[in-house]
Amino acid sequence: MKIAVLPGDGIGPEITAQTLRVLDVLVRDGLKLEFESAPVGGAGYDASGDPLPAATLALCEKADAILFGSVGGPQYDALPRPQRPEQGLLRLRKHFDLFANLRPAVVYPELAHASTLRPDVVAGLDLLILRELTGDIYFGQPRGVRTTESGEREGFDTMRYTESEIRRIAHSAFQAARKRQRRVCSVDKANVLETTQFWRDVVTDVHDEYADVELSHMYVDNAAMQLVRNPKQFDVIVTGNMFGDILSDEASMLTGSIGMLPSASLNANNFGMYEPIHGSAPDIAGRNLANPLATILSAAMLLRYSLDQDEAARRLETAVRKVLAQGYRTADIAEAGRQTVGTREMADAVIAALL
Ligand code: NAD
């Protein structure tokens, strides 16, 4: 199984290097993984004037999955838009039709203090938000600003979803739920928006093929409220692009620790790109300060969703739980006054927990 590794910029190279050291333990134990790295983002621009060099794309095409670090940095901010680092990320999403964005929000009991919510509300939280990434009002045509017959200007966008777009994300949600607690909550605004009534009907129809998974529906305004009132009621939330954009950020902040949160973007063949949700953190880059756990947990998602190596994924996740229970903390997740470890030392602790 081939993994394309795209470290990117800022802390990206540090956190991916440490993640590869951790994955090497699984390889030594018999997992057949091969890694090859290539530049992307600002590093791609520096290497060949393109944030997604042709050779990098070719490497990804030959791979079974992509492990992505992070891209961006102040030195690239003045570049014309096509050369900006984030274009590397956007073009990869488009090229591989990565329509399903999976964002777990997990609160480890030891880190419940990092949340702005009361520890008893979030401790033990383990939910997965599945956001449709390539459709909805973000891409619907027509859109623009026009002058009406009465001479007034108006802005407009179009919310639309085809049946096939809804079907494939619904399948992804039910399949993801099968790897978890088998409960899916589909979020819409079916009381007001035709598109999302249609969404609800199609999700309900797809559910006929997944009798072993429980399906419920919730309006988005209620979902936003329930996420802060009682987030532990959810297992998998599936929703469209715009609602998912907002709810996934809300859910990630329930945990309070950006350095801990992985993500995946998958296509219909379960080919995927796996990356921490945080950016390239230029303020701490190159100083052995970054938390590598979000990237290590992204690698666990890669094993689970693209390579179907559930046991190896669970091994990694258990090792992460263990180092937190043992008290290892990088600066971003440490309570005031607590002793901290660096990027490499955190990876060392995960490696020790795996052995
Ligand atoms: P950021 O996520 O890079 O950093 C926000 C804050 O969180 C910073 O204080 C940073 O030090 C801290 N932080 C982030 N990851 C951490 C980790 N693993 N361990 C410890 N602390 C961590 O967001 P930003 O500062 O808004 O953006 C910086 C750059 O990253 C920009 O160029 C932005 O465009 C880019 N960015 C890239 C991605 C991506 O690659 N997917 C996502 C978001 C932002």
Side-chain angles (χ1 to χ4, degrees):
M1 295 173 287
K2 287 193 172 56
I3 300 177
V5 181
L6 312 187
D9 311 316
I11 60 172
E14 302 165 61
I15 54 182
T16 46
Q18 296 309 322
T19 300
L20 293 187
R21 287 181 62 227
V22 169
L23 287 172
D24 269 342
V25 177
L26 304 184
V27 172
R28 260 180 272 148
D29 289 350
L31 197 63
K32 299 211 169 353
L33 301 178
E34 281 173 28
F35 307 102
E36 202 174 325
S37 297
V40 74
Y45 175 78
D46 290 341
S48 64
D50 185 349
L52 182 59
T56 300
L57 186 58
L59 175 71
C60 295
E61 276 178 337
K62 281 188 301 180
D64 297 294
I66 304 169
L67 184 66
F68 191 97
S70 54
V71 292
Q75 68 273 45
Y76 305 111
D77 283 351
L79 288 173
R81 193 159 295 281
Q83 272 99 53
R84 295 250 186 99
E86 58 272 21
Q87 289 300 317
L89 190 60
L90 298 176
R91 280 165 55 196
L92 279 167
R93 280 188 188 150
K94 197 167 158 55
H95 182 84
F96 290 106
D97 200 13
L98 304 175
F99 66 88
N101 184 222
L102 283 70
R103 294 221 339 212
V106 173
V107 178
Y108 301 90
E110 300 83 6
L111 302 184
H113 66 87
S115 176
T116 50
L117 296 188
R118 284 201 322 265
D120 62 297
V121 176
V122 295
L125 174 72
D126 181 0
L127 80 86
L128 175 69
I129 301 229
L130 190 48
R131 167 189 172 195
E132 202 289 330
L133 209 54
T134 53
D136 204 354
I137 195 166
Y138 289 3
F139 295 95
Q141 294 290 345
R143 59 197 286 152
V145 178
R146 65 187 166 201
T147 304
T148 64
E149 279 175 13
S150 67
E152 190 186 12
R153 289 196 305 151
E154 71 172 4
F156 61 102
D157 294 275
T158 307
M159 175 178 271
R160 59 197 323 156
Y161 263 121
T162 62
E163 181 167 353
S164 57
E165 285 174 322
I166 303 171
R167 280 190 177 276
R168 64 183 188 174
I169 190 81
H171 279 293
S172 303
F174 293 123
Q175 283 163 20
R178 278 187 171 159
K179 296 177 190 275
R180 300 172 46 93
Q181 295 169 42
R182 296 175 182 252
R183 287 187 291 118
V184 170
C185 177
S186 172
V187 170
D188 59 43
K189 189 72 182 169
N191 50 342
V192 178
L193 297 169
E194 299 296 336
T195 312
T196 73
Q197 176 62 57
F198 180 57
W199 169 284
R200 185 178 284 217
D201 295 344
V202 175
V203 171
T204 304
D205 195 40
V206 173
H207 179 234
D208 286 349
E209 296 173 44
Y210 298 89
D212 55 325
V213 179
E214 186 187 308
L215 171 66
S216 60
H217 302 275
M218 194 178 277
Y219 297 139
V220 64
D221 42 346
N222 187 23
M225 190 173 74
Q226 294 299 331
L227 271 175
V228 286
R229 195 186 73 86
N230 177 19
K232 286 190 248 180
Q233 70 186 283
F234 298 109
D235 178 26
V236 175
I237 291 178
V238 63
T239 190
N241 203 346
M242 179 166 62
F243 298 157
D245 189 1
I246 299 162
L247 293 182
S248 61
D249 268 20
E250 184 188 3
S252 64
M253 281 304 103
L254 297 175
T255 73
S257 41
I258 196 171
M260 295 293 303
L261 296 174
S263 78
S265 303
L266 304 183
N267 70 15
N269 305 320
N270 285 335
F271 176 86
M273 181 158 74
Y274 298 82
E275 55 176 324
I277 72 155
H278 59 71
S280 58
D283 52 332
I284 57 168
R287 295 164 54 199
N288 196 41
L289 287 175
N291 185 346
L293 294 180
T295 316
I296 292 170
L297 292 167
S298 299
M301 290 186 83
L302 183 156
L303 293 169
R304 173 170 295 123
Y305 291 105
S306 281
L307 306 186
D308 222 8
Q309 298 289 329
D310 216 44
E311 196 183 316
R314 230 173 291 129
R315 241 188 111 191
L316 276 190
E317 289 160 352
T318 305
V320 168
R321 281 179 194 280
K322 194 166 162 191
V323 300
L324 293 172
Q326 287 169 338
Y328 290 97
R329 301 284 186 273
T330 42
D332 58 307
I333 53 172
E335 296 118 303
R338 193 180 182 118
Q339 202 179 349
T340 61
V341 296
T343 314
R344 168 171 273 277
E345 294 70 33
M346 185 58 110
D348 288 343
V350 175
I351 289 167
L354 281 172
L355 296 175

